[in-house]
Amino acid sequence: MIEAIAFAITIVLPNLVLMWLGFFMQRRGEASKTFIDQSSSFVFKYCLPCLLFFSVVDSEVDYEKQIVLIVAGILVTFILFIGAELYAKRFVSRPADQGVFVQGVYRSNMAIIGLATVANAYGASGLSIGAVYMGVVTILFNILAVITLSRVSKSIDDTWVSRSTMIVKKLFTNPLILALLAAFIYKALPLPPTTGVIHTIGDLLAAVALPLALICAGASINLKSMLHLSGLCMQASIGRIIIAPIIAILVGIGFGLSEVHMGVLFLMVASPTAAASYVMAKAMGGNDVLAANILALTTVVGMFGMAIGAGVLRGLGWM
């Protein structure tokens, strides 16, 4: 358990440092609103798509063997999404807050903290399983994010037809979804591996994604709001840190997942809220301050939940 907690800290600490840097820059007047807006747009349109594309293209996996795990992950995501939507419609009044709250509950940081923790637990074999899971579920994450965040654009004159058209348009123009679809198509076709200059450029852009996203998130943090126990930030964080892992365990038991697959499902779902959730909320007009606060609080606290949960599951022989 001590080793698990220590590992979680080493994974999360660099993210916290980058967010603190953004907060420090904002306090010193070195990160203006214009800087945050332009940087977030750059990450959303170019850096994150490269990160997702090459992470899927470079993975060596057997998709057919992971179908039960993927189905379980999709079910967990829908349960969290629908539950958060119902809660938001009942208890969250502002449209700009509703989608951000929902995204904070169901969307986990699989690409960084999730995959790294899986690799530590199970090595290369676990990492390949996690990469397939991440690739498929990330597409669902982004589709659901567009759906829930699109409520910000809703007006009195909207109809079901215009609303559906808007959602479909945003789905097919979303850079993250397009990058993932392109990656799966590339792997399905008999094409040569991506090497040389193209891969180098992609790697450079991908390397920028998380650091710049976290700096922008840190520059948007509102400490008073984040620490307000009755606020939306705390409510969404409870859903992400406590409720999401419990649902993952129950679904995993119901599907009869093996120890490795149960471990992958738990660690991927129990990860803190994804940094991409802030970028997506910023790009689609959601409450970016709330998104940044949820990201910060779940990143700080979520690692302890992951370590404790993993220790319990390992003790029970389920992971």
Side-chain angles (χ1 to χ4, degrees), residues 215-236:
I215 289 173
C216 291
S220 301
I221 288 177
N222 184 314
L223 287 179
K224 182 178 180 181
S225 174
M226 184 182 76
L227 299 176
H228 185 46
L229 296 183
S230 61
L232 290 177
C233 174
M234 181 58 66
Q235 296 171 47

Side-chain angles (χ1 to χ4, degrees), residues 74-283:
I74 290 173
L75 179 59
V76 171
T77 301
F78 273 118
I79 291 174
L80 291 173
F81 177 81
I82 294 172
E85 278 283 340
L86 294 175
Y87 184 94
K89 289 180 180 179
R90 177 66 177 84
F91 298 105
V92 183
S93 57
R94 296 181 64 241
D97 295 340
Q98 292 175 342
V100 173
F101 171 86
V102 172
Q103 210 185 187
V105 172
Y106 81 81
R107 188 167 192 166
S108 61
N109 191 339
M110 300 184 296
I112 305 300
I113 298 178
L115 279 181
T117 311
V118 167
N120 179 66
Y122 301 111
S125 60
L127 185 60
S128 63
I129 295 172
V132 176
Y133 178 95
M134 182 203 72
V136 175
V137 178
T138 296
I139 292 180
L140 178 60
F141 276 4
N142 284 285
I143 292 174
L144 296 179
V146 171
I147 292 173
T148 192
L149 291 170
S150 65
R151 78 183 80 220
V152 179
S153 304
K154 188 174 182 180
S155 65
I156 298 177
D157 297 329
D158 275 345
T159 64
W160 282 108
V161 175
S162 63
R163 185 118 170 101
S164 300
T165 302
M166 178 189 67
I167 292 175
V168 171
K169 181 179 179 181
K170 288 184 177 181
L171 288 176
F172 283 96
T173 58
N174 183 286
L176 306 185
I177 294 176
L178 293 178
L180 286 165
L181 290 176
F184 286 121
I185 292 173
Y186 192 95
K187 287 184 70 69
L189 297 176
L191 298 174
T194 54
T195 57
V197 176
I198 294 178
H199 206 301
T200 300
I201 295 173
D203 288 341
L204 290 173
L205 285 172
V208 175
L210 182 65
L212 190 54
L214 289 172
I215 289 173
C216 291
S220 301
I221 288 177
N222 184 314
L223 287 179
K224 182 178 180 181
S225 174
M226 184 182 76
L227 299 176
H228 185 46
L229 296 183
S230 61
L232 290 177
C233 174
M234 181 58 66
Q235 296 171 47
S237 298
I238 290 174
R240 171 101 304 274
I241 297 170
I242 299 176
I243 297 176
I246 292 175
I247 292 177
I249 294 172
L250 294 176
V251 171
I253 294 174
F255 274 76
L257 296 181
S258 64
E259 292 182 7
V260 174
H261 283 183
M262 172 67 90
V264 171
L265 178 66
F266 173 79
L267 292 174
M268 298 298 262
V269 173
S271 297
T273 300
S277 66
Y278 167 79
V279 179
M280 182 78 87
K282 186 76 175 179

